[in-house]
Amino acid sequence: MKIVVVGGGKVGEVICQELSTEENDIVLIDKNQDLIDRLLNKFDIMGICGNGASYDILVEAGVENCDIFISVTEMDEINIIASILAKKIGAEYTVARVRNPEYSQQLQLIRESLGISLLINPELSTARDIANNFNYPSALSVENFVGNRVSLLELEINEGSRLAGLSLKEVRNRFESILICVIHRNEQSFIPDGDSTLEAGDHVYITGAYPDLRNFLKLTGQETKSVSSAVIVGGGRITYYLLNMLKQTKIDTKVIEVNEERSETLSYAFPHTTVIHADGTDHDVLEEQRITEYDVFVSMTGIDEENLILSAYAKQQGVQKIITKMSRPALLKVFKGFDSQSVVTPKHIVANEIIQFVRSRSNTQGSNVEALYRLADNQVEALQFRVQKNSAICGIPLSELKTKSNLLIAFIVRGQQLIYPAGNDTIEPFDKVIVVTTEKDFDDINDILE
């Protein structure tokens, strides 16, 4: 596919990184020639220096023949204008990043009235990811499928865990409705079989329906008490969106924000949240605000190093659940112990959304991708497909399907029925199927076949 990307910042860079490896022709537009040169040296893309909202620049980039146009500059208005122009020039699909909370409440109206195919908001998506983590405090990460009916949880097998030493056959015999999809061990990930054994220190990805997962966590000693309170350091856009989601719950929230104007804005918008105007990186402030009395500590300042130090301090103080926002997750390799905490990376979250959109548009006639998540340090993908009538896999018992290695069919959703697939089960037209694989280029359910 031919893809034009406007904006080479954090999100633009990760989009170029991910999509340039999937047999796409990428053209990057940015005003900064040095940035373009750096990305041209890193990825197999072409670059044009200029204003992405300029008609002449868009024509030079070949937008009239492009399949997907993506604008992810820092300015919402530039992204919207560029996407409208690209559509008029001839781009088949357009994607724009819109971050302003004032726009976020009218995203559907903006998308439909302006003809933009997809509006993405990294901060809103990150807030949604954090809120999902609140539902499973013992999980390191949570991904949802099929309208939140099925979840995929990342758990750490601790020393002394009831799961350590068990084979997957034993786990399945005890918990028929739970499936372990991935094991991440010693920085390597693999799709396990029935003879695989769980070890202390493993990170495992398990799937199941909400009540089944709750019961599993309780019986295996992995469950922690429900979240009733949370303290957040940093009052930026992500915090705004998160508070908006949490206001419907009974969770007691406190925000510590150093900027006075931002503090006042949050206090006015969320009167039931306690907003403290103070420096949340100050040890004395954290002690004064008694962070140890809260179930969840979320570090969301604009500086990765500050977030790492804050989370390390909260862990030292014994806070039950810690969530850290990171723009540069590579920093985590320098710090010990962060593999046992929840980390959210906005640019990667939104990149997953865009990759899913691109793959679904590259296969509009087949059983296309409805959801996509990268797991285990991007070594594994979990995909949700909607099966079409012409699919080659329909009606064949799973035991007879010749599928690729390192692949697992985790779930089949047929109407209101959730199916934990066994060898005699079949995939039928219009099913929703969740596939977990170490492959990186699936855009159709038929791709699972050898």
Side-chain angles (χ1 to χ4, degrees):
M1 300 181 74
K2 181 171 182 179
I3 301 171
V4 176
V5 180
V6 177
K10 294 175 183 177
V11 175
E13 180 174 351
V14 75
I15 290 171
C16 290
Q17 177 184 355
E18 298 289 353
L19 295 181
S20 64
T21 63
E22 301 199 3
E23 299 182 357
N24 298 307
D25 295 325
I26 311 291
V27 178
L28 173 67
I29 302 173
D30 198 279
K31 290 182 177 181
N32 187 328
Q33 184 64 55
D34 291 338
L35 184 148
I36 290 176
D37 291 340
R38 180 174 66 82
L39 296 186
L40 288 178
N41 289 329
K42 292 179 67 175
F43 312 123
D44 183 18
I45 62 174
M46 295 182 290
I48 296 175
C49 186
N51 184 349
S54 164
Y55 178 88
D56 292 337
I57 292 294
L58 295 182
V59 170
E60 182 183 349
V63 167
E64 70 275 12
N65 297 316
C66 84
D67 298 295
I68 299 180
F69 176 88
I70 304 170
S71 187
V72 288
T73 73
E74 292 295 316
M75 298 292 293
D76 290 351
E77 292 76 12
I78 294 294
N79 296 332
I80 293 172
I81 292 171
S83 296
I84 294 172
L85 277 175
K87 189 68 175 180
K88 294 293 184 183
I89 292 171
E92 186 171 1
Y93 300 104
T94 54
V95 180
R97 177 169 76 168
V98 178
R99 307 167 65 197
N100 193 323
E102 294 180 3
Y103 293 149
S104 67
Q105 299 177 6
Q106 293 89 33
L107 288 183
Q108 187 71 11
L109 176 63
I110 294 173
R111 188 182 70 80
E112 293 176 353
S113 61
L114 300 180
I116 300 173
S117 308
L118 176 68
L119 291 172
I120 55 174
N121 186 330
E123 288 79 8
L124 178 59
S125 297
T126 303
R128 191 177 295 118
D129 198 72
I130 294 171
N132 286 339
N133 270 270
F134 279 38
N135 292 327
Y136 297 96
S138 58
L140 300 178
S141 65
V142 181
E143 312 296 355
N144 292 320
F145 296 90
V146 202
N148 295 339
R149 291 174 62 193
V150 178
S151 296
L152 186 66
L153 309 186
E154 177 188 0
L155 301 173
E156 182 180 18
I157 306 299
N158 299 314
E159 291 285 351
S161 169
R162 299 175 192 174
L163 296 174
L166 293 181
S167 69
L168 265 62
K169 284 181 182 176
E170 293 174 305
V171 174
R172 192 64 188 267
N173 287 336
R174 297 186 190 184
F175 307 98
E176 293 182 358
S177 58
I178 293 296
L179 186 64
I180 296 179
C181 304
V182 181
I183 297 177
H184 186 68
R185 178 184 297 158
N186 298 327
E187 300 186 358
Q188 296 296 318
S189 299
F190 60 94
I191 309 297
D193 57 29
D195 295 325
S196 300
T197 301
L198 300 178
E199 298 178 5
D202 285 351
H203 283 211
V204 298
Y205 292 80
I206 68 170
T207 187
Y210 181 82
D212 298 323
L213 288 170
R214 279 289 189 187
N215 186 50
F216 172 82
L217 294 174
K218 181 179 180 180
L219 293 177
T220 58
Q222 299 279 135
E223 187 180 42
T224 52
K225 71 171 187 175
S226 299
V227 172
S228 61
S229 61
V231 59
I232 305 167
V233 178
R237 287 193 178 105
I238 298 175
T239 298
Y240 182 94
Y241 291 126
L242 179 60
L243 292 177
N244 203 39
M245 295 172 187
L246 296 180
K247 69 182 181 182
Q248 304 299 330
T249 71
K250 296 181 180 180
I251 297 175
D252 176 28
T253 51
K254 175 183 286 187
V255 177
I256 305 174
E257 168 56 43
V258 69
N259 182 280
E260 183 176 4
E261 181 180 355
R262 196 176 292 169
S263 298
E264 291 176 351
T265 299
L266 290 175
S267 181
Y268 178 78
F270 305 102
H272 297 296
T273 295
T274 302
V275 181
I276 306 298
H277 172 223
D279 183 0
T281 64
D282 188 318
H283 171 271
D284 293 335
V285 171
L286 296 178
E287 280 200 340
E288 182 180 333
Q289 297 305 321
R290 300 178 179 177
I291 66 167
T292 57
E293 297 180 3
Y294 288 81
D295 297 328
V296 180
F297 180 89
V298 187
S299 53
M300 286 201 291
T301 75
I303 302 173
D304 284 352
E305 291 81 358
E306 286 186 354
N307 291 336
L308 284 169
I309 294 170
L310 286 169
S311 294
Y313 175 74
K315 181 180 180 181
Q316 182 185 35
Q317 296 300 305
V319 179
Q320 169 188 321
K321 173 79 174 179
I322 299 168
I323 302 174
T324 310
K325 180 181 80 73
M326 293 291 296
S327 297
R328 294 169 293 159
L331 283 175
L332 296 174
K333 299 184 184 299
V334 180
F335 287 80
K336 299 291 185 180
F338 269 88
D339 56 350
S340 60
Q341 298 180 29
S342 297
V343 176
V344 293
T345 305
K347 65 180 181 181
H348 287 161
I349 293 172
V350 78
N352 285 346
E353 294 180 12
I354 292 174
I355 293 166
Q356 179 260 311
F357 180 83
V358 170
R359 289 199 198 168
S360 66
R361 295 310 180 272
S362 69
N363 180 37
T364 55
Q365 301 302 313
S367 304
N368 58 20
V369 179
E370 291 189 325
L372 179 150
Y373 298 102
R374 296 282 178 86
L375 313 172
D377 200 21
N378 278 359
Q379 296 179 32
V380 178
E381 288 187 351
L383 307 104
Q384 176 183 314
F385 294 98
R386 185 175 187 273
V387 180
Q388 299 296 334
K389 288 190 292 186
N390 60 352
S391 174
I393 67 171
C394 287
I396 303 173
L398 297 185
S399 60
E400 298 178 19
L401 277 180
K402 295 182 178 179
T403 60
K404 294 175 180 175
S405 59
N406 286 318
L407 178 146
L408 179 69
I409 298 174
F411 245 101
I412 300 172
V413 181
R414 186 170 298 150
Q416 296 301 310
Q417 185 182 10
L418 299 179
I419 301 173
Y420 306 88
N424 294 327
D425 289 311
T426 60
I427 296 173
E428 302 297 336
F430 312 118
D431 284 350
K432 294 181 185 292
V433 180
I434 290 90
V435 174
V436 181
T437 176
T438 55
E439 299 281 344
K440 293 291 185 69
D441 57 357
F442 288 179
D443 58 22
D444 191 292
I445 189 67
N446 291 337
D447 290 336
I448 73 174
L449 299 175
E450 287 183 341

